[in-house]
């Protein structure tokens, strides 16, 4: 008996929808940091247009810049909004200050701006005088967000760097340093209780720079052709995965095994230092973009990752490399042939 074409066509359309949805998930794994420590950058409206024409669906900003948030309205771009480090003390010591911060920097832009996370501070070290304010600031901001009854739940977290680690090799032995123990325990306890992710800045470039004799460049650039490190039943082909999985192992050891990690910064400079070339940076970004949707050996699946950064920033320092992490020049010309989709 001849089959009707309608069910077949319906099945094909369903398959196409599922496939396209799968692709959209892949696109959403990658975001880009929008830093502004420069005197030659285009206006925020042009920056948002650049994100959209480039197919970049996620942004991280380091402070609640009003012009940027205004330009994001209706764009569909998901954004992490940063709290500058020097604001943490005031937010930690006053519920009113936290409420005012949320009402000034978050409320006016909802629901037109898709704000996904608030990052309370960036790379605060355990011995920094501000360290004691990170946890209370997160709590007060969380309370302010929760009491505001926003249509979508905005998570509150903080961004750490890998200097908090005591051991990273092999990744199964990953642990936080004794100096960081109390600090990171307080942070992760809050994140576990509020079901928020840990934000982490992860730079294989700087790890490579610390030991270029032992760490092979291809390994740091995600360019190795086979397994370089066997850790139990898990094989590692690149340094990025080793760093992420050592962080997951460290989290397991302090009772935070179920925390999700979001990579809020990673990048490679194109000038100004050892191995800082356009070819190396382009290789790193290209390989990373295609890699992160697969996750790591320890945690397979899409890994939300934000490249650092959108533009070269001529007022950064003190290292010369700090000025050359951009995917684009300030004139919006791409440095690399990258596809974010």
């Amino acid at each position: 008996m001849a089959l009707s074409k309608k069910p077949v066509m319906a099945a094909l359309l369903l398959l196409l929808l599922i496939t396209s949805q799968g692709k959209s998930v892949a696109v959403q794994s990658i975001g880009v940091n929008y830093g502004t420590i420069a005197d030659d950058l285009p206006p925020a409206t042009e920056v948002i247009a650049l994100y959209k024409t480039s197919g970049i669906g996620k942004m991280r900003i380091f402070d609640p810049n009003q012009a940027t948030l205004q330009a994001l309205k209706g764009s569909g771009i998901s954004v992490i909004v940063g709290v500058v480090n020097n604001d943490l003390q005031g937010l930690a010591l006053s519920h009113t200050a936290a409420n005012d911060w949320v009402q000034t920097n978050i409320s006016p832009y909802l629901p037109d701006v898709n704000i996904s996370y608030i990052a309370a501070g960036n790379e605060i070290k355990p011995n920094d005088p501000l360290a004691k304010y990170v946890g209370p600031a997160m709590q007060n901001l969380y309370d302010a967000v929760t009491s505001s009854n926003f249509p979508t739940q905005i998570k509150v977290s903080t961004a750490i760097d890998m200097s908090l680690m005591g051991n990273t090799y092999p990744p199964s032995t990953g642990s936080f340093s004794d100096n960081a123990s109390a600090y990171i325990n307080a942070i992760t306890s809050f994140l576990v209780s509020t079901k928020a992710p840990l934000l982490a800045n992860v730079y294989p470039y700087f790890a490579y720079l610390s030991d270029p004799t032992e760490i092979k460049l291809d390994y740091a650039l995600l360019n190795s052709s086979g397994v370089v490190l066997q850790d139990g039943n898990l094989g590692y082909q690149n340094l990025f995965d080793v760093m992420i999985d050592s962080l997951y192992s460290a989290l397991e050891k302090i009772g935070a095994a179920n925390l999700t990690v979001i990579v809020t910064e990673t990048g490679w400079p194109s000038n100004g230092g050892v191995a800082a070339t356009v070819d190396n940076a382009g290789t790193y970004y290209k390989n990373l973009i295609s890699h992160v949707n697969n996750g790591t050996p320890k945690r397979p699946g899409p890994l939300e990752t934000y490249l650092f950064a959108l533009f070269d920033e001529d007022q950064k320092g003190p290292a010369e490399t700090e000025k050359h992490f951009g995917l684009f020049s300030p004139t919006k010309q791409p440095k690399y042939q990258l596809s974010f989709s």
Side-chain angles (χ1 to χ4, degrees), residues 169 204 206-220 224 228-229 238-239 242 274:
Y169 187 89
F206 293 119
Y208 168 77
L209 208 61
S210 70
D211 194 2
T213 302
E214 289 297 322
I215 299 174
K216 302 303 181 187
L217 183 59
D218 276 350
Y219 186 55
S224 299
V228 176
L229 169 66
N238 65 78
L239 184 56
V242 167
V274 175

Short mmCIF file of all heavy atoms in Angstrom, two decimals, residues 169 204 206-220 224 228-229 238-239 242 274:
data_model
loop_
_atom_site.label_atom_id
_atom_site.label_comp_id
_atom_site.label_asym_id
_atom_site.label_seq_id
_atom_site.Cartn_x
_atom_site.Cartn_y
_atom_site.Cartn_z
N TYR A 169 47.75 18.98 38.55
CA TYR A 169 48.31 17.92 37.69
C TYR A 169 48.64 16.68 38.51
O TYR A 169 49.34 16.79 39.52
CB TYR A 169 49.57 18.44 37.01
CG TYR A 169 50.16 17.49 35.99
CD1 TYR A 169 49.75 17.53 34.67
CD2 TYR A 169 51.10 16.54 36.36
CE1 TYR A 169 50.28 16.66 33.72
CE2 TYR A 169 51.63 15.65 35.43
CZ TYR A 169 51.22 15.72 34.12
OH TYR A 169 51.73 14.85 33.18
N PRO A 204 45.16 28.83 29.43
CA PRO A 204 46.30 27.97 29.11
C PRO A 204 47.53 28.76 28.67
O PRO A 204 48.66 28.29 28.87
CB PRO A 204 45.76 27.11 27.96
CG PRO A 204 44.29 27.03 28.23
CD PRO A 204 43.93 28.40 28.75
N PHE A 206 48.86 31.46 29.97
CA PHE A 206 49.71 31.80 31.11
C PHE A 206 50.31 30.56 31.76
O PHE A 206 51.43 30.61 32.28
CB PHE A 206 48.91 32.63 32.12
CG PHE A 206 48.53 33.99 31.61
CD1 PHE A 206 47.20 34.35 31.48
CD2 PHE A 206 49.50 34.90 31.21
CE1 PHE A 206 46.84 35.60 31.00
CE2 PHE A 206 49.15 36.15 30.72
CZ PHE A 206 47.82 36.51 30.60
N ALA A 207 49.58 29.44 31.73
CA ALA A 207 50.15 28.18 32.22
C ALA A 207 51.33 27.77 31.34
O ALA A 207 52.39 27.35 31.84
CB ALA A 207 49.08 27.09 32.23
N TYR A 208 51.16 27.90 30.02
CA TYR A 208 52.26 27.60 29.10
C TYR A 208 53.44 28.52 29.36
O TYR A 208 54.60 28.09 29.39
CB TYR A 208 51.77 27.75 27.66
CG TYR A 208 52.89 27.75 26.63
CD1 TYR A 208 53.52 26.56 26.27
CD2 TYR A 208 53.34 28.94 26.06
CE1 TYR A 208 54.57 26.56 25.34
CE2 TYR A 208 54.37 28.95 25.14
CZ TYR A 208 54.99 27.76 24.78
OH TYR A 208 56.02 27.76 23.89
N LEU A 209 53.17 29.79 29.56
CA LEU A 209 54.22 30.78 29.79
C LEU A 209 55.04 30.46 31.03
O LEU A 209 56.24 30.76 31.08
CB LEU A 209 53.57 32.16 29.92
CG LEU A 209 54.39 33.39 29.51
CD1 LEU A 209 54.76 33.30 28.05
CD2 LEU A 209 53.58 34.66 29.79
N SER A 210 54.40 29.85 32.02
CA SER A 210 55.10 29.53 33.26
C SER A 210 56.09 28.38 33.11
O SER A 210 57.02 28.24 33.91
CB SER A 210 54.09 29.18 34.36
OG SER A 210 53.47 27.93 34.09
N ASP A 211 55.91 27.55 32.07
CA ASP A 211 56.80 26.39 31.89
C ASP A 211 56.83 25.96 30.42
O ASP A 211 56.38 24.86 30.08
CB ASP A 211 56.34 25.24 32.79
CG ASP A 211 57.38 24.14 32.91
OD1 ASP A 211 58.48 24.29 32.33
OD2 ASP A 211 57.10 23.14 33.59
N PRO A 212 57.36 26.81 29.54
CA PRO A 212 57.31 26.49 28.10
C PRO A 212 58.21 25.33 27.70
O PRO A 212 58.07 24.81 26.59
CB PRO A 212 57.77 27.80 27.44
CG PRO A 212 58.58 28.49 28.48
CD PRO A 212 57.96 28.13 29.79
N THR A 213 59.09 24.91 28.57
CA THR A 213 59.95 23.76 28.26
C THR A 213 59.19 22.46 28.41
O THR A 213 59.25 21.58 27.54
CB THR A 213 61.19 23.75 29.18
OG1 THR A 213 61.90 24.97 29.03
CG2 THR A 213 62.11 22.59 28.83
N GLU A 214 58.44 22.34 29.50
CA GLU A 214 57.71 21.10 29.77
C GLU A 214 56.36 21.05 29.06
O GLU A 214 55.90 19.98 28.66
CB GLU A 214 57.50 20.93 31.29
CG GLU A 214 58.76 20.61 32.06
CD GLU A 214 59.37 19.28 31.66
OE1 GLU A 214 58.62 18.32 31.41
OE2 GLU A 214 60.61 19.21 31.56
N ILE A 215 55.71 22.20 28.92
CA ILE A 215 54.38 22.25 28.29
C ILE A 215 54.57 22.54 26.80
O ILE A 215 55.10 23.59 26.43
CB ILE A 215 53.49 23.32 28.94
CG1 ILE A 215 53.29 23.01 30.42
CG2 ILE A 215 52.14 23.40 28.21
CD1 ILE A 215 52.54 24.10 31.18
N LYS A 216 54.15 21.63 25.97
CA LYS A 216 54.29 21.80 24.52
C LYS A 216 53.26 22.82 24.01
O LYS A 216 52.11 22.84 24.46
CB LYS A 216 54.11 20.47 23.80
CG LYS A 216 55.10 19.39 24.24
CD LYS A 216 56.54 19.83 24.08
CE LYS A 216 57.51 18.74 24.49
NZ LYS A 216 58.92 19.23 24.50
N LEU A 217 53.68 23.60 23.04
CA LEU A 217 52.81 24.64 22.50
C LEU A 217 51.53 24.06 21.90
O LEU A 217 50.43 24.58 22.13
CB LEU A 217 53.56 25.46 21.46
CG LEU A 217 52.81 26.65 20.85
CD1 LEU A 217 52.38 27.64 21.93
CD2 LEU A 217 53.67 27.35 19.80
N ASP A 218 51.64 22.98 21.13
CA ASP A 218 50.45 22.36 20.54
C ASP A 218 49.45 21.92 21.60
O ASP A 218 48.23 21.99 21.40
CB ASP A 218 50.84 21.16 19.67
CG ASP A 218 51.25 21.57 18.26
OD1 ASP A 218 51.05 22.74 17.90
OD2 ASP A 218 51.78 20.72 17.53
N TYR A 219 49.95 21.45 22.72
CA TYR A 219 49.12 21.01 23.84
C TYR A 219 48.33 22.18 24.41
O TYR A 219 47.14 22.06 24.74
CB TYR A 219 50.03 20.39 24.89
CG TYR A 219 49.38 19.75 26.08
CD1 TYR A 219 48.43 18.74 25.93
CD2 TYR A 219 49.76 20.12 27.38
CE1 TYR A 219 47.85 18.13 27.03
CE2 TYR A 219 49.20 19.50 28.48
CZ TYR A 219 48.25 18.52 28.32
OH TYR A 219 47.69 17.90 29.42
N ALA A 220 48.98 23.34 24.51
CA ALA A 220 48.31 24.54 25.01
C ALA A 220 47.33 25.12 24.00
O ALA A 220 46.33 25.74 24.38
CB ALA A 220 49.35 25.59 25.40
N SER A 224 47.05 19.19 19.70
CA SER A 224 47.69 17.88 19.74
C SER A 224 46.84 16.86 18.98
O SER A 224 45.61 16.90 19.02
CB SER A 224 47.87 17.42 21.19
OG SER A 224 48.70 18.31 21.89
N VAL A 228 47.84 13.12 25.27
CA VAL A 228 49.14 13.52 25.82
C VAL A 228 49.27 13.07 27.27
O VAL A 228 50.34 12.68 27.72
CB VAL A 228 49.32 15.05 25.72
CG1 VAL A 228 50.61 15.50 26.38
CG2 VAL A 228 49.27 15.50 24.26
N LEU A 229 48.16 13.11 27.99
CA LEU A 229 48.15 12.74 29.41
C LEU A 229 47.04 11.73 29.66
O LEU A 229 45.87 12.00 29.36
CB LEU A 229 47.94 13.98 30.28
CG LEU A 229 47.64 13.73 31.76
CD1 LEU A 229 48.85 13.10 32.46
CD2 LEU A 229 47.23 15.02 32.47
N ASN A 238 44.66 18.21 25.62
CA ASN A 238 44.97 19.64 25.67
C ASN A 238 44.98 20.15 27.11
O ASN A 238 44.37 19.56 28.02
CB ASN A 238 43.97 20.44 24.83
CG ASN A 238 42.56 20.36 25.36
OD1 ASN A 238 42.23 21.03 26.33
ND2 ASN A 238 41.74 19.51 24.74
N LEU A 239 45.66 21.24 27.29
CA LEU A 239 45.85 21.84 28.61
C LEU A 239 44.57 22.46 29.15
O LEU A 239 44.33 22.47 30.36
CB LEU A 239 46.96 22.90 28.51
CG LEU A 239 47.41 23.60 29.78
CD1 LEU A 239 47.85 22.61 30.86
CD2 LEU A 239 48.54 24.58 29.46
N VAL A 242 42.63 19.89 30.99
CA VAL A 242 43.31 19.55 32.24
C VAL A 242 42.99 20.59 33.31
O VAL A 242 42.69 20.25 34.47
CB VAL A 242 44.83 19.44 32.02
CG1 VAL A 242 45.58 19.41 33.34
CG2 VAL A 242 45.17 18.21 31.20
N VAL A 274 56.06 36.06 24.56
CA VAL A 274 56.42 34.71 24.12
C VAL A 274 55.19 34.01 23.52
O VAL A 274 54.12 34.00 24.13
CB VAL A 274 56.97 33.88 25.30
CG1 VAL A 274 57.23 32.44 24.87
CG2 VAL A 274 58.25 34.52 25.84
#
